[in-house]
Amino acid sequence: MGGLACALSLAKEGFEKIDIFESASNLGFVGAGIQLAPNMARILDRLGCWGDIAKKSTNIVETSIRQGSSDEELAYVDLSYIKTRYNHPHMVGHRSDLAGSIYEHCKLQKSINFFFSSTMEGIKSFTPKPSFIVKPRHGEPYELEADIILAADGIKSNIRPQILQELNIDARIIDTNQAAYRIMLKREDMEKDPEMLKLIDGDRVTRWIGENRHIIAYPVSNKNVYNMSSIQPDRNFAAAPSATYTTKGSKISMLDTFSDFCPLMQRMLNLVPAGEVCEWKLCVHTRLPTWVHGNVALVGDACHPTLPHLAQGAAQAIEDAAVLAVVLSRSPGQDPDSINKSLRVYEEIRKDRAYTLVDLAAVSSKTLHLGEGAAKKERDKQFAALKQKNGSVPDKWADAEVQTMIYGHDCRQIAQDSFDDLYAKL
């Protein structure tokens, strides 16, 4: 997502040669649901691709936080004010619609070129003209030179370890000991059950919480699909934690993990075909002291992977892209020193915000997953106070003050306003 958004953002700023190297043979997008927050929508709207995404997405006007074991509502939050306050709604959609729309708009730009089945194996030089090795799936490796390299290659980035080694920095991927199931239920499988039909017909995000676990769900794809995403303790990746972050899951294991959740959850989880259970390992990374080396910069999950509890992973990668387009277009020169300084301005603008949200997502995870004890009692008092319209929301994703910090942030405007001062200080 970050790479596509970078390419489109730079093309819109007038950059004339933008090459994207993608290890996959094509961008036949897969995946599950994704939340489309106003801070993301604002950027995509400026890029011209938001309208296509919104047509297939659901405008979320409310959220319900419920006890997983009983389906009792712990808190209800009205979100209908979001579009008025932030000029864009909070929507949910399918990841393939989001990525697909950005990709189609990239293809309309003559300056953007795609090289599929091509992996960037490593950086040969970081400055003055960075160069790198490309390994085609069917062919011999070759070397290329560029003015700038933007590494949007995810948490398993090939480029990040090279930068860290060059700078003698010790940083590592952190195993959160959590995993996630991604579940997509079809309307035709739900519509015979009145409770399920109400869910897929609604404009609501629902979260069922329990000790060390939760399930969050919402309708996508014009309400033809109900997306469910869970978080639970990692049981299936321990034997090979670095080999893969994705595995074919066991339906029996999934049902056992949520066996104490309410009958509605049991009926919904039982709809999942046994061969279609997929599980993802959730990892983050220690904070990096820098995202930039020479004329190479990290983007998105390559530098600030996050837990999904604020639904901001893709949004923060897209914010990276928007800021990069501004700072590079504002660079006073095209020489290596000017480019490096502009990339450092990008880091200055983005790093604290991205890591603040990473930390807040981790805090929200602990709060949602509390077991019996004093902390859970205090959390549930906060949920109870919400019913009297009093207090903050323990689920930080739904808290109005947190939403103001996240959704009210116009990263592109901040970059425009602060570039000259930040650049002059370097």
Side-chain angles (χ1 to χ4, degrees):
M1 212 73 72
L4 289 171
C6 280
L8 186 57
S9 298
L10 290 167
K12 293 286 186 175
E13 290 290 347
F15 287 82
E16 296 178 353
K17 191 175 190 305
I18 304 160
D19 293 341
I20 300 178
F21 295 88
E22 169 57 51
S23 59
S25 59
N26 61 69
L27 292 184
F29 297 107
V30 294
I34 188 168
Q35 298 197 40
L36 309 167
N39 56 313
M40 177 200 290
R42 185 180 299 117
I43 296 167
L44 298 176
D45 207 1
R46 286 170 175 157
L47 294 176
C49 52
W50 174 245
D52 294 338
I53 299 164
K55 287 176 184 176
K56 298 178 182 179
S57 302
T58 303
N59 181 19
I60 295 300
V61 299
E62 59 185 2
T63 185
S64 178
I65 304 161
R66 312 181 78 85
Q67 185 65 48
S69 58
S70 64
D71 200 30
E72 173 193 359
E73 186 168 73
L74 298 172
Y76 170 87
V77 182
D78 183 353
L79 302 176
S80 59
Y81 69 91
I82 285 181
K83 183 175 182 180
T84 300
R85 181 170 297 180
Y86 302 110
N87 296 318
H88 288 86
H90 185 102
M91 305 192 83
V92 293
H94 198 291
R95 186 174 292 269
S96 65
D97 293 331
L98 171 61
S101 178
I102 303 173
Y103 175 51
E104 290 301 321
H105 279 77
C106 282
K107 291 197 296 183
L108 297 176
Q109 303 294 322
K110 294 181 180 180
S111 58
I112 299 177
N113 307 291
F114 286 89
F115 297 85
F116 294 106
S117 301
S118 298
T119 301
M120 183 186 287
E121 288 203 324
I123 304 290
K124 293 282 287 183
S125 64
F126 289 88
T127 191
K129 284 275 192 177
S131 61
F132 57 99
I133 301 297
V134 177
K135 176 63 173 70
R137 188 174 302 172
H138 307 291
E140 294 299 316
Y142 58 93
E143 184 174 340
L144 286 177
E145 189 178 78
D147 294 313
I148 306 163
I149 296 174
L150 302 177
D153 53 346
I155 190 168
K156 294 190 283 185
S157 171
N158 288 335
I159 307 306
R160 181 184 60 241
Q162 280 198 260
I163 292 177
L164 298 179
Q165 184 176 10
E166 283 275 326
L167 299 176
N168 198 27
I169 295 170
D170 181 20
R172 66 191 189 284
I173 293 173
I174 299 173
D175 183 355
T176 68
N177 298 311
Q178 296 181 85
Y181 291 116
R182 299 284 189 261
I183 298 162
M184 307 288 279
L185 300 182
K186 298 176 182 177
R187 167 174 281 275
E188 55 263 35
D189 295 329
M190 297 178 68
E191 57 189 1
K192 295 177 184 177
D193 185 311
E195 287 186 282
M196 292 188 200
L197 184 61
K198 184 178 180 181
L199 289 172
I200 198 169
D201 278 342
D203 296 318
R204 168 185 286 193
V205 169
T206 306
R207 198 191 299 264
W208 291 267
I209 64 175
E211 184 175 358
N212 295 324
R213 297 156 298 153
H214 78 256
I215 293 173
I216 187 169
Y218 44 80
V220 300
S221 301
N222 292 322
K223 299 185 177 178
N224 287 308
V225 173
Y226 197 64
N227 179 79
M228 301 175 68
S229 176
S230 72
I231 305 291
Q232 66 276 343
D234 172 21
R235 297 176 179 173
N236 300 317
F237 292 90
S242 61
T244 179
Y245 294 158
T246 308
T247 187
K248 194 167 187 177
S250 159
K251 182 172 181 178
I252 293 173
S253 177
M254 178 183 70
L255 291 171
D256 180 63
T257 299
F258 294 96
S259 61
D260 62 338
F261 272 38
C262 63
L264 173 60
M265 283 294 97
Q266 301 305 314
R267 298 199 304 275
M268 294 175 75
L269 293 176
N270 268 292
L271 289 177
V272 182
E276 296 182 14
V277 177
C278 291
E279 191 171 8
W280 277 258
K281 184 179 186 64
L282 299 180
C283 294
V284 292
H285 202 282
T286 52
R287 285 195 181 209
L288 304 179
T290 184
W291 298 352
V292 175
H293 182 43
N295 289 0
V296 179
L298 301 173
V299 178
D301 281 356
C303 48
H304 50 79
T306 183
L307 291 172
H309 305 293
L310 292 179
Q312 278 289 305
Q316 289 309 294
I318 290 170
E319 283 194 7
D320 288 350
V323 171
L324 279 163
V326 171
V327 300
L328 292 174
S329 67
R330 292 283 297 273
S331 179
Q334 298 181 15
D335 58 284
D337 185 61
S338 297
I339 292 171
N340 172 260
K341 286 182 178 179
S342 297
L343 291 175
R344 286 157 62 196
V345 171
Y346 150 71
E347 179 186 302
E348 181 68 22
I349 292 170
R350 291 290 305 137
K351 192 160 70 168
D352 283 351
R353 171 169 168 81
Y355 285 145
T356 294
L357 298 190
V358 168
D359 291 345
L360 192 56
V363 169
S364 197
S365 170
K366 292 178 182 177
T367 302
L368 290 172
H369 294 170
L370 290 170
E372 293 300 326
K376 180 178 181 294
K377 288 180 180 178
E378 180 58 33
R379 182 202 69 188
D380 290 348
K381 283 182 183 178
Q382 294 179 45
F383 278 134
L386 275 175
K387 295 182 178 181
Q388 307 301 320
K389 311 294 184 185
N390 184 28
S392 61
V393 186
D395 183 351
K396 295 306 176 187
W397 169 83
D399 183 73
E401 289 187 10
V402 173
Q403 288 172 347
T404 296
M405 178 186 70
I406 299 176
Y407 303 162
H409 183 93
D410 188 337
C411 65
R412 189 177 187 280
Q413 190 61 53
I414 289 169
Q416 291 281 15
D417 293 343
S418 62
F419 178 82
D420 290 340
D421 287 343
L422 292 174
Y423 188 93
K425 292 176 182 177
L426 296 174

